Amino acid sequence: MQQLSNRINNLPVSQTLAMAAKARELKTQGKDIISLSLGEPDFNTPDFIKEAAKQAIDDNYNSYSPVDGYLDLREAICRKFKRDNNLTYSPNQIVVSTGAKQSIANVAMVLLNPGDEVLLPAPYWVSYSAIATLAEATYKEIPSGIETDFKITPEQLEAAITPKTKLIFFNSPNNPSGTVYTESEYRAFAEVLEKYPNIYILSDEIYEHINYGQPNFSFASIESMYDRTITVNGVAKAFAMTGWRIGYMGAPDWIAKACTKMQGQITSGANCIAQRATIAALNAPVSKIQFMVDEFHKRRDLVLDLLSEIEGISINTPKGAFYVFPDVSSYFGKTIDGVTINNAGDFSMFLLEKANVATVTGEAFGAPNCIRLSYAASTEELKEAFKRIKNVLN
Ligand code: GLU
């Protein structure tokens, strides 16, 4: 008899990864699928980073690393936080992990008790809610829609807080909406949170460099929030290093210490070669990756143009990340080509089956009127994908 734990039985499958797997499977079967499901740069890792990894192999970096990461990497991360984010951390406040996903899981595991409440401004990345559930906490969505550029207000934040609230997730630039919060908007949230000293803030800044407008503002740079904020980042998105699996956090030292203890029992230090390569990535001037950001910017403009030709879709202008998150609710209840679309999940499946384009349903991100499309794909693929979508819908 197969008897899995309640923990795993209650855990939803990651919809981003599930859709990517489905697209891969259909491609293997010979279907001409264009996958706009996974948020993954289509560039190669820059050569100077690859060289550092090769050098690390030749230098015999093959042993276990310290659980929280090599000291010289943590020093490089401190310099990066100072340079890009105006944040002062010392190496004992830094923990390097196997992807920012593990950094987030570490924080949830060390801060949350059963019954604690996590606040998720929606839309939010699919794994936040799943990780909160794994930590036996409950989560509450704070909804927002396209009419406010997917931003919540300080009033909504305050109304959502209860005595059980322990942790809130901020993510700017946002996955899936591309929304970027300004400094003054963040300061208004901080004013609310100042009244509730028992709430911690996880600021996920993984898309900080993929930003087309004002520079990124780090929540922990607000003085009153520094001691309660965990800043999570990583090299996956900005340096085209998704598969290298390196994420990191800057945190109050007692939280960093607890995360190291947690990680020490589960995975130990992150991959040694990838850590050495990350030093090269973070020591390089940000200008080295600007060509990728410029390319994403062009593609965003292209995709907004292409979307504007499709009937019944409303869209905000994403200011960062590499996703568009159109509201497709005007299609709900309609039957097209024999298929009835009742929700975003149906819409996403319709596009997969009829247009051979893989997307992710907004339900997984706490926004049931929307679907997410990643434009981290080539211009040719994007043009073809939106042509197909337009053909099946118009
Ligand atoms: N973060 C990316 C995405 O949202 C990668 C997949 C994942 O880990 O969810 O598509």
Side-chain angles (χ1 to χ4, degrees):
M1 197 169 29
Q2 298 182 350
Q3 285 182 312
L4 292 173
S5 66
N6 298 340
R7 185 179 306 110
I8 194 69
N9 284 333
N10 293 335
L11 189 72
V13 167
S14 162
Q15 285 302 314
T16 48
L17 300 184
M19 209 50 180
K22 190 161 183 93
R24 252 181 242 130
E25 184 193 315
L26 291 170
K27 273 188 200 173
T28 336
Q29 292 168 10
K31 280 211 170 182
D32 173 24
I33 302 287
I34 301 179
S35 182
L36 306 184
S37 54
L38 205 56
E40 162 154 77
D42 57 326
F43 295 99
N44 293 326
T45 304
D47 284 342
F48 72 95
I49 300 173
K50 293 200 274 196
E51 288 310 321
K54 290 177 198 166
Q55 189 62 49
I57 294 174
D58 288 341
D59 290 347
N60 296 310
Y61 276 94
N62 46 234
S63 311
Y64 291 126
S65 76
V67 173
D68 51 357
Y70 290 118
L71 177 61
D72 53 350
L73 171 54
R74 285 181 288 126
E75 285 166 348
I77 292 169
C78 291
R79 287 194 298 274
K80 173 259 170 304
F81 273 133
K82 189 84 215 155
R83 178 191 69 185
D84 300 341
N85 311 97
N86 194 25
L87 290 174
T88 307
Y89 288 117
S90 53
N92 60 326
Q93 294 178 275
I94 307 292
V95 183
V96 179
S97 301
T98 302
K101 200 180 262 182
Q102 187 181 25
S103 308
I104 294 166
N106 280 339
V107 172
M109 292 300 172
V110 309
L111 283 185
L112 297 171
N113 278 314
D116 284 346
E117 221 167 65
V118 176
L119 294 183
L120 300 179
Y124 53 85
W125 178 48
V126 294
S127 292
Y128 295 163
S129 49
I131 287 170
T133 305
L134 263 185
E136 297 180 61
T138 57
Y139 64 89
K140 189 196 274 178
E141 295 172 356
I142 309 177
S144 76
I146 200 154
E147 62 292 344
T148 60
D149 189 24
F150 296 106
K151 286 179 177 175
I152 64 157
T153 62
E155 292 73 29
Q156 277 181 291
L157 169 61
E158 183 142 30
I161 292 172
T162 74
K164 287 187 174 167
T165 309
K166 181 78 184 278
L167 181 64
I168 178 162
F169 280 73
F170 287 139
N171 172 218
S172 171
N174 178 272
N175 173 9
S177 69
T179 298
V180 175
Y181 279 99
T182 63
E183 175 175 346
S184 61
E185 286 162 343
Y186 261 176
R187 286 192 183 276
F189 292 155
E191 251 174 62
V192 172
L193 291 167
E194 277 166 14
K195 294 186 242 168
Y196 303 92
N198 299 328
I199 301 178
Y200 294 85
I201 301 97
L202 189 153
S203 177
D204 178 353
E205 304 182 9
I206 190 80
Y207 293 97
E208 74 165 321
H209 293 304
I210 306 175
N211 192 330
Y212 315 122
Q214 81 259 2
N216 180 61
F217 182 77
S218 288
F219 198 75
S221 68
I222 302 171
E223 217 183 308
S224 62
M225 295 291 112
Y226 178 80
D227 284 333
R228 322 199 237 143
T229 302
I230 303 98
T231 308
V232 171
N233 210 324
V235 287
K237 312 294 183 182
F239 296 93
M241 292 175 72
T242 49
W244 297 68
R245 309 308 300 133
I246 295 290
Y248 55 85
M249 73 174 81
D253 55 359
W254 60 276
I255 295 179
K257 211 167 145 197
C259 289
T260 304
K261 180 172 157 191
M262 168 64 58
Q263 190 165 295
Q265 292 287 23
I266 295 184
T267 55
S268 304
N271 177 286
C272 56
I273 307 302
Q275 284 195 56
R276 303 312 299 169
T278 298
I279 297 177
L282 296 182
N283 280 344
V286 178
S287 57
K288 282 231 176 190
I289 52 168
Q290 190 57 38
F291 72 97
M292 292 191 264
V293 182
D294 292 343
E295 184 58 34
F296 288 133
H297 195 165
K298 274 191 223 148
R299 294 180 195 174
R300 180 204 67 176
D301 292 344
L302 170 73
V303 163
L304 288 179
D305 260 4
L306 297 170
L307 269 171
S308 71
E309 293 169 17
I310 300 173
E311 287 162 22
I313 280 185
S314 8
I315 180 82
N316 64 321
T317 299
K319 312 283 188 311
F322 34 57
Y323 309 103
V324 281
F325 200 56
D327 185 316
V328 297
S329 57
S330 77
Y331 283 93
F332 297 173
K334 291 192 177 155
T335 300
I336 310 172
D337 205 4
V339 179
T340 303
I341 295 168
N342 283 320
N343 50 47
D346 290 349
F347 190 90
S348 173
M349 286 319 288
F350 174 82
L351 293 185
L352 183 62
E353 276 155 27
K354 301 286 181 183
N356 281 352
V357 176
T359 60
V360 186
T361 171
E363 282 146 6
F365 302 91
N369 287 340
C370 300
I371 62 162
R372 190 190 80 172
L373 302 98
S374 159
Y375 53 86
S378 72
T379 306
E380 293 70 43
E381 278 186 305
L382 291 171
K383 283 186 181 156
E384 174 62 22
F386 284 92
K387 190 170 102 192
R388 292 183 192 179
I389 296 174
K390 187 173 154 185
N391 284 347
V392 295
L393 290 178
N394 282 5

